[in-house]
Amino acid sequence: MTMMGDPLSDDGADHERLPGNRSRDALRAAQMYYLQDLTMNAIARELRTSRSTISRLLSLARETGLVQIQVNNPSERAPALEQQIRRRFGVEAHVVPIADSVNDSEVLDRVAIQAARTIGPLVDSNAIIGVAWGSTLSAVSHHLTRKQTHDSTIVQLNGAGNTQTTGITYASEILRSFGQAYGARVEQFPVPAFFDHAETKTAMWEERSVRRILDLQHRMTMAIFGVGSISAGIPSHVYSGGYLDREDLATLETDEVVGDVATMFFRADGTHRDIKLNSRSTGPDLDRLGTVRRRICVVSGESKIDGLRGALAAGLATDLILDEGSARRLVHS
Amino acid sequence: MTMMGDPLSDDGADHERLPGNRSRDALRAAQMYYLQDLTMNAIARELRTSRSTISRLLSLARETGLVQIQVNNPSERAPALEQQIRRRFGVEAHVVPIADSVNDSEVLDRVAIQAARTIGPLVDSNAIIGVAWGSTLSAVSHHLTRKQTHDSTIVQLNGAGNTQTTGITYASEILRSFGQAYGARVEQFPVPAFFDHAETKTAMWEERSVRRILDLQHRMTMAIFGVGSISAGIPSHVYSGGYLDREDLATLETDEVVGDVATMFFRADGTHRDIKLNSRSTGPDLDRLGTVRRRICVVSGESKIDGLRGALAAGLATDLILDEGSARRLVHS
DNA sequence: AACCCGATTGCACAAACGTGCAGACGCGGG
DNA sequence: CCCGCGTCTGCACGTTTGTGCAATCGGGTT
């Protein structure tokens, strides 16, 4: 059989180019597949192309957010764990079901996928979304599903430079993914994670280029972050990646820090007064963070539980996405 | 391998019975399948059961509305046909893509499936939903996806009795399906489709039992109906099912009727003054119908196009779900 | 015209999935 | 206790779907 030119578009009138003619075919195919329950074979016959093309069109439709699949947690009779967490900690919990047997890196991956799909529907136009960085957020960023929005902005929550690398590529990759998925502007925060001297921070915070970012953060409608936990078996990026020296780590211990969100530290009871490092950290003021409408915390792995407890005590999150094992440990003790 | 008792519920604490323990497993499975992209095999291993069970659990999850798949029509750059219809007729169009080659009964079926899935997301709690009857609505009713709502009511739009059968079973099956799918009360309208004497209707309309239904109809928040078309190749139920005698059909012609919605007739220009049969019909007053917030008209098959044109001229619908062929004929002439 | 390079297609095969069927289970009645 | 009946399970098979690969297309450049 020989080729024929673009057999799918049989209404060949207007050739608008940007939306991609392909995406219209994807919509057609998606309607037939998901709304009419035809098989790919049937669709292929009807659109005069091969089944594999349809398979690929459907992939496209899913990836670009044309098709949205949501699993709704029928409110009241949600799984026991989620209810308990909501009652005890006052956050909306999304527990990711995972058997205990799976290894940590797979847990992270699966939590990340589900987090990405849970976040998707919550994003809407004109949003200003603060995004932290770290291994958790990195994993999430790889699985975002696309969603078209107008005039949205992704803003970096805290600096990422350190003494060894500028950290820029790592953090900016994460931001870029978010921006691309939601069609949003990306605003990086080009400062180190920690200043060496608090005075430098004070000075920088007066710079107009910095104030622009701070202003965006001030107007955030949504924040997305993981937590760091000092006691973690595998310590977070922050505690091992060359951001802090021996002396810094010592002051954290003295200050009874249990964890951090976006490189701002807190204690087990949620307080953060007088924690020395915070005055040099570029993360958002935690009191102010607590006023953001929607604050989504993603946690994977039981080792982060101490940090998580602190973050919850501090009321940093409105929504919590975490694996089942951690959820169990959170309530069962 | 031998059986073990209920291997899926490993948290065997509370045995609430009504929600069905099974549905919790279905939720778990659905999350793993649709949100974490695991294969059924992997899920089966993790939940210690067979892949086929997972397959069935997922079916359940879809049927009961635990999983909702929606294909969104990215607003502005919607297919040309839908835009044209919206502009020319002022209704939100949902065109069901179908090649011209398929036969009429399959068209009906596929329009019905897609209609059911389009309606689903629009239904919400405290709704009062008026539902007509006819072959189109019957087909739709077979494909509704479940959705939990509180305090919703399904109310029959027009009587269904005729001289040969009471018509009750047919219409009531449709209503029952809707009620079950949305967890709603069902209010039947136990009157014939047409009274023999207009005075009887007037009298009945004063009865309290009837007034209760009329009152519900008055407070409708949504109405769902097909259209009848007199010129249809295959005439609608109404025109051939023993509801009307030869004389009635003659007066329709005299009155220049082109079609009906819920057994209320109208002309090509959308008017319905002085159409004699309407005074004996039990359908809703068309002027009043036009004030319902959401009015969904489902049409399949090009033969109904004349009736449809009349209905659109009368402004009876806010949303129109129809097959591609009809949509094309609607705009291309 | 000849060439090249990335995008797109259909093919073929492997992986994943749906479903009829027969056996196992739980429960109530004889 | 045994039997019957409806429900649920896993198996086996056929169907449906994903994907690496080679061929083809389109359009831009030398």
Side-chain angles (χ1 to χ4, degrees):
Chain A
M1 163 176 292
T2 64
M3 257 11 34
M4 16 177 50
D6 198 359
L8 279 73
S9 3
D10 41 42
D11 54 352
D14 53 344
H15 275 252
E16 41 174 357
R17 261 294 159 236
L18 258 192
N21 225 330
R22 191 175 178 80
S23 106
R24 257 230 319 273
D25 295 336
L27 177 62
R28 258 182 100 89
Q31 289 178 307
M32 297 202 234
Y33 189 78
Y34 289 107
L35 300 182
Q36 299 178 28
D37 282 348
L38 298 187
T39 70
M40 295 184 177
N41 241 320
I43 300 174
R45 275 198 305 276
E46 222 161 275
L47 299 196
R48 307 240 177 75
T49 180
S50 76
R51 191 185 53 72
S52 8
T53 298
I54 301 298
S55 172
R56 287 186 261 252
L57 281 178
L58 290 175
S59 297
L60 183 75
R62 284 187 298 263
E63 282 160 16
T64 57
L66 263 180
V67 172
Q68 268 180 320
I69 299 183
Q70 42 178 266
V71 175
N72 49 357
N73 220 327
S75 49
E76 63 289 350
R77 63 174 164 80
L81 269 176
E82 305 192 350
Q83 282 192 340
Q84 288 174 27
I85 292 178
R86 183 173 45 203
R87 257 182 258 136
R88 281 187 40 188
F89 301 99
V91 299
E92 203 58 45
H94 307 260
V95 173
V96 179
I98 298 187
D100 314 316
S101 51
V102 268
N103 70 56
D104 277 10
S105 87
E106 196 187 332
V107 171
L108 172 58
D109 216 50
R110 284 167 57 181
V111 169
I113 301 185
Q114 187 155 343
R117 306 209 174 160
T118 306
I119 292 170
L122 303 180
V123 176
D124 41 57
S125 290
N126 304 311
I128 301 176
I129 305 174
V131 174
W133 48 265
S135 41
T136 306
L137 264 292
S138 172
V140 172
S141 74
H142 288 137
H143 298 288
L144 296 170
T145 52
R146 223 167 277 242
K147 175 167 182 176
Q148 209 57 12
T149 66
H150 309 299
D151 276 325
S152 293
T153 306
I154 308 292
V155 58
Q156 187 172 335
L157 273 181
N158 53 334
N162 70 10
T163 54
Q164 290 162 36
T165 76
T166 61
I168 295 293
T169 52
Y170 178 66
S172 79
E173 271 306 297
I174 296 175
L175 291 196
R176 201 194 43 74
S177 295
F178 273 88
Q180 184 169 319
Y182 302 138
R185 271 183 309 284
V186 167
E187 297 286 357
Q188 300 197 18
F189 196 6
V191 291
F194 299 96
F195 287 100
D196 288 334
H197 310 285
E199 304 77 40
T200 318
K201 173 180 170 184
T202 316
M204 280 294 283
W205 256 222
E206 295 301 325
E207 288 288 317
R208 282 186 308 179
S209 65
V210 169
R211 295 197 76 100
R212 198 171 58 83
I213 303 299
L214 294 177
D215 178 53
L216 277 172
Q217 290 181 0
H218 191 46
R219 288 164 27 222
M220 263 189 296
T221 56
M222 181 187 279
I224 305 174
F225 49 84
V227 302
S229 184
I230 286 195
S231 59
I234 312 138
S236 295
H237 239 85
V238 179
Y239 307 102
S240 64
Y243 292 90
L244 302 173
D245 59 29
R246 192 176 311 268
E247 196 178 339
D248 293 331
L249 291 172
T251 76
L252 287 182
E253 203 161 331
T254 311
D255 287 338
E256 296 178 322
V257 164
V258 297
D260 78 286
V261 161
T263 57
M264 290 301 260
F265 300 93
F266 44 77
R267 305 191 185 85
D269 61 1
T271 59
H272 61 273
R273 299 266 139 179
D274 304 322
I275 290 176
K276 297 188 195 68
L277 254 175
N278 284 354
S279 64
R280 290 165 37 210
S281 163
T282 56
D285 178 78
L286 293 183
D287 292 326
R288 177 172 289 174
L289 179 60
T291 67
V292 174
R293 179 104 38 110
R294 198 126 207 175
R295 317 184 293 276
I296 299 170
C297 180
V298 183
V299 179
S300 130
E302 310 193 7
S303 62
K304 292 194 164 177
I305 202 121
D306 291 335
L308 174 57
R309 280 225 166 75
L312 289 175
L316 295 181
T318 59
D319 293 75
L320 173 61
I321 301 171
L322 79 176
D323 64 283
E324 191 169 6
S326 305
R328 255 200 263 281
R329 277 195 57 181
L330 192 58
V331 299
H332 283 148
S333 60
Chain B
M1 161 175 296
T2 63
M3 252 25 21
M4 16 177 48
D6 199 0
L8 279 74
S9 4
D10 40 41
D11 54 353
D14 53 345
H15 275 250
E16 40 173 358
R17 263 291 160 237
L18 257 191
N21 224 329
R22 192 175 177 80
S23 107
R24 256 230 319 275
D25 295 335
L27 177 61
R28 256 182 102 87
Q31 288 180 307
M32 298 202 231
Y33 190 78
Y34 289 106
L35 299 183
Q36 298 177 28
D37 281 349
L38 299 187
T39 70
M40 294 186 180
N41 242 320
I43 300 174
R45 274 198 305 278
E46 220 162 276
L47 300 195
R48 308 238 178 75
T49 182
S50 75
R51 191 184 52 72
S52 11
T53 298
I54 301 298
S55 172
R56 285 185 262 252
L57 282 177
L58 290 174
S59 296
L60 184 74
R62 284 187 299 263
E63 282 161 15
T64 57
L66 262 180
V67 172
Q68 268 180 320
I69 300 183
Q70 44 178 267
V71 175
N72 47 358
N73 218 327
S75 48
E76 63 290 350
R77 60 174 165 81
L81 269 176
E82 306 192 349
Q83 281 192 341
Q84 288 175 26
I85 292 178
R86 183 174 45 203
R87 256 180 260 137
R88 280 187 42 188
F89 301 99
V91 298
E92 204 57 46
H94 307 261
V95 174
V96 179
I98 297 187
D100 313 316
S101 50
V102 281
N103 69 54
D104 277 10
S105 87
E106 196 187 331
V107 171
L108 172 58
D109 216 50
R110 284 167 56 179
V111 168
I113 301 186
Q114 187 154 341
R117 306 208 174 162
T118 306
I119 292 169
L122 303 180
V123 175
D124 42 58
S125 289
N126 305 311
I128 301 177
I129 305 173
V131 174
W133 49 265
S135 41
T136 306
L137 263 291
S138 172
V140 172
S141 74
H142 288 137
H143 298 289
L144 296 170
T145 51
R146 221 168 276 243
K147 174 165 182 178
Q148 210 56 13
T149 67
H150 308 297
D151 276 324
S152 294
T153 306
I154 309 294
V155 58
Q156 187 172 334
L157 273 181
N158 54 333
N162 71 7
T163 54
Q164 290 161 37
T165 74
T166 60
I168 294 292
T169 52
Y170 178 68
S172 79
E173 269 307 296
I174 296 175
L175 291 196
R176 201 194 44 74
S177 295
F178 273 89
Q180 184 169 318
Y182 302 139
R185 272 182 308 283
V186 167
E187 299 285 356
Q188 300 197 18
F189 197 5
V191 291
F194 299 97
F195 286 100
D196 289 333
H197 308 287
E199 305 77 38
T200 318
K201 174 181 171 184
T202 316
M204 280 293 285
W205 256 222
E206 294 301 327
E207 288 288 317
R208 282 188 308 179
S209 64
V210 168
R211 294 196 78 99
R212 199 171 58 84
I213 304 298
L214 295 177
D215 179 54
L216 276 172
Q217 291 182 359
H218 191 46
R219 288 164 28 223
M220 260 188 300
T221 55
M222 181 187 277
I224 305 173
F225 48 85
V227 301
S229 184
I230 286 195
S231 58
I234 312 139
S236 296
H237 237 87
V238 178
Y239 307 102
S240 63
Y243 292 90
L244 302 173
D245 59 28
R246 191 176 311 266
E247 195 178 337
D248 294 331
L249 291 173
T251 75
L252 287 182
E253 204 162 330
T254 312
D255 288 337
E256 297 179 323
V257 164
V258 297
D260 78 285
V261 160
T263 56
M264 290 300 261
F265 301 92
F266 45 76
R267 304 192 184 83
D269 60 1
T271 59
H272 60 274
R273 299 267 138 178
D274 303 322
I275 290 176
K276 297 189 194 68
L277 253 175
N278 284 352
S279 64
R280 290 166 36 211
S281 163
T282 55
D285 178 78
L286 292 183
D287 292 326
R288 178 172 288 175
L289 179 62
T291 67
V292 174
R293 179 104 37 110
R294 198 128 206 171
R295 317 184 293 277
I296 299 169
C297 179
V298 183
V299 179
S300 130
E302 310 193 7
S303 61
K304 292 195 163 178
I305 202 121
D306 291 335
L308 174 57
R309 281 225 167 74
L312 289 174
L316 296 181
T318 58
D319 294 73
L320 173 61
I321 301 169
L322 79 176
D323 63 283
E324 191 167 7
S326 305
R328 254 199 263 281
R329 278 196 56 182
L330 192 58
V331 299
H332 282 148
S333 61

